[in-house]
Amino acid sequence: MRSLARGLGAAALASAVLAVPAAVPAAADGGSPESFTIEDSRITESSGLAASRAHSGVFWTHNDSDDGPYVYAVDSATGRTVATVTLAGIDPRDVEAVSVGPDGQVYVGDIGDNLGGSWPEVWIYRFPEPKKLRDTTVTPVRHTVRYDGGPRDAESLMVHPKTGRVYIVSKREEGGGLYEGPAELSASGVNTFRRIADIGLWATDGAFSPDGTRLVVRSYFEARAYRWAARGASGAGSAGARIEPIGQPSLPMQRQGESVSFTRDGRALMYGTEGVQSRVTRVALQGELLPDSAAKAAQTAKGEQGGSGRESGDRSGAASQDEDRDLLVGGLTVAGAVVLVLGLRRLVRRR
């Protein structure tokens, strides 16, 4: 009889679950990519992530150290690598970040320092983003980087989408900072990066929003968002920036979270991690976390929907009532199932 009660209880609960409207995964808004898995068996330590400017839905990534001079273009629709770019003449030491600038160039940051900040200089490699996605070999421009104040360990490199200026965040929970490069990187001399703001975080990557109004920096266990504003009225020509903390975007649990990128529309973040067949997870943004341009677009769309006529509003209201009714029915069904299970258990105990 006890097994019968258990069977009836399980059946009742199953019916209750079926009666509750299922949660449907949110579709990517406005054509934004959804979460995806990197299928390429060569990519085992994805350590940087950047949305392509030239190819919708494609993300650039690379392995950590000991892989070679390779950068991979991954199609988020399939998770497959659609191009491998080999950097000729480069023997990378510890590649940690990738970013795409407004000049159509891909910037690769060989900026890691696992010895705790002992290398006197690190490098940034730059090459044009291919117009056609296919395997190719390029000779990148190499930029030598030093920090004002001495060597630093870093894994976060970001190119501002409006000014083209390059920034690096050092990887240090106490005393970490945001460093700004020259207005234009030199290919012949040393580029000195100067500290302009404090960011005390074990930073593994960072990214600017497409409109340049937000900066997100992530670590293994948290992410922070900042409002970004160039100093002075001249904007692009002004050194320094004002950053204002505005919140902490949601961060998925990951094996070893190493990367972050905004989607091209700025409405979501894509978080990457190391590992074989690693998962890139999409997290939608809202409120102050939304970049200015994305928030404006959302407000415009909301206004257009509101002015679409009474009939549309009536349909929306009816749909809302239907959803409320379904939720009520589902809730009552669950409650009834619980009562049924408890009643059967009491009956068993009495026998």
Side-chain angles (χ1 to χ4, degrees), residues 270-317:
M270 305 294 287
Y271 290 106
T273 179
E274 291 191 358
V276 179
Q277 288 193 317
S278 61
R279 187 73 172 164
V280 177
T281 304
R282 180 184 190 271
V283 174
L285 297 172
Q286 56 184 336
E288 274 195 300
L289 300 178
L290 271 174
D292 291 353
S293 60
K296 184 177 180 181
Q299 190 64 33
T300 300
K302 184 178 180 181
E304 291 175 351
Q305 291 175 357
S308 60
R310 180 176 179 180
E311 182 180 353
S312 174
D314 291 343
R315 285 197 302 266
S316 177

Side-chain angles (χ1 to χ4, degrees), residues 16 59 80 86 118 139 143 167 181 200 259 267 269 294 311 320-321 326-327 344 350:
F59 288 84
R80 297 177 180 174
T86 302
S118 61
T139 301
H143 302 285
Y167 296 84
S259 59
R267 299 172 70 178
L269 294 172
E311 182 180 353
S320 178
Q321 291 175 2
D326 289 342
L327 289 173
L344 288 172
R350 290 176 182 175

Side-chain angles (χ1 to χ4, degrees), residues 169-182:
V169 179
S170 61
K171 186 180 181 181
R172 190 172 180 180
E173 190 168 5
E174 294 184 5
L178 174 67
Y179 291 80
E180 179 182 67

